[in-house]
Amino acid sequence: EGLAAFRTFLKSEFSEENVEFWLACEDFKKTKSSTKIASKAQKIYSDFIQADAPKEINIDFHTKNDISQNISEPTLSCFDAAQSSIYCLMAKDSFPRFLRSEVYKELVKKHQDKNQKRWLPFL
C-alpha cells in the first residue's frame, strides 16, 4: 500500500517514471537468462534512457552516455549508476514531500484506524 501511495503521489507531481525506473532496475538485476538480460536492458533503455523516451528519467549526460555506449552488451549492473542517481533524487526530493502530502496522511490514518481496531476488538 505504501508503494501504491508513493506512486500516486509521484503521478500527481508528474514524476512517476522515477519509481517505475527504479523498480524496473530491481527486476532487471534478478534476471538469469542472458537473452532476457539483453531484451530487458533494451526495454529499460528505450522506455527510460534514450532521448525522447516515453518515460525519460532525468540523469546526467555522462551516466546516460555510459549506458548508451554499453547497451549493446548489457550487464546486470549497467543501470546501477542511473538507478542510484534516481534513488538519491527520490530520497532527497520526492519522498520528503510525499511524507508531508495528503496521500501519505491518509495512508497513515487508515493504518492507525486498522491497528486501533485490532488492539481494541470491542470498537
Side-chain angles (χ1 to χ4, degrees), residues 32-98:
K32 303 282 188 245
S33 157
S34 58
T35 55
K36 283 189 178 178
I37 288 172
S39 65
K40 281 185 176 185
Q42 191 55 53
K43 174 98 173 104
I44 291 171
Y45 181 77
S46 63
D47 285 353
F48 300 101
I49 307 293
Q50 74 183 17
D52 298 324
K55 302 174 190 179
E56 187 174 2
I57 56 170
N58 185 11
I59 54 174
D60 65 272
F61 171 78
H62 295 293
T63 303
K64 185 179 271 196
N65 198 39
D66 287 347
I67 294 170
S68 298
Q69 289 178 351
N70 297 316
I71 196 66
S72 58
E73 293 181 32
T75 65
L76 290 178
S77 62
C78 66
F79 298 110
D80 285 359
Q83 185 184 21
S84 177
S85 174
I86 291 300
Y87 181 87
C88 288
L89 178 69
M90 290 190 296
K92 290 177 183 171
D93 186 43
S94 306
F95 197 70
R97 280 198 318 280
F98 168 65

Side-chain angles (χ1 to χ4, degrees), residues 2-11 13-26 29 48 55-59 79-100:
L3 177 59
F6 187 48
R7 287 178 102 156
T8 299
F9 173 75
L10 290 176
K11 191 171 275 197
E13 293 204 328
F14 305 100
S15 62
E16 71 267 25
E17 69 278 356
N18 291 333
V19 75
E20 288 179 22
F21 171 73
W22 190 87
L23 291 167
C25 289
E26 287 299 292
K29 288 192 269 187
F48 300 101
K55 302 174 190 179
E56 187 174 2
I57 56 170
N58 185 11
I59 54 174
F79 298 110
D80 285 359
Q83 185 184 21
S84 177
S85 174
I86 291 300
Y87 181 87
C88 288
L89 178 69
M90 290 190 296
K92 290 177 183 171
D93 186 43
S94 306
F95 197 70
R97 280 198 318 280
F98 168 65
L99 294 179
R100 295 186 300 269

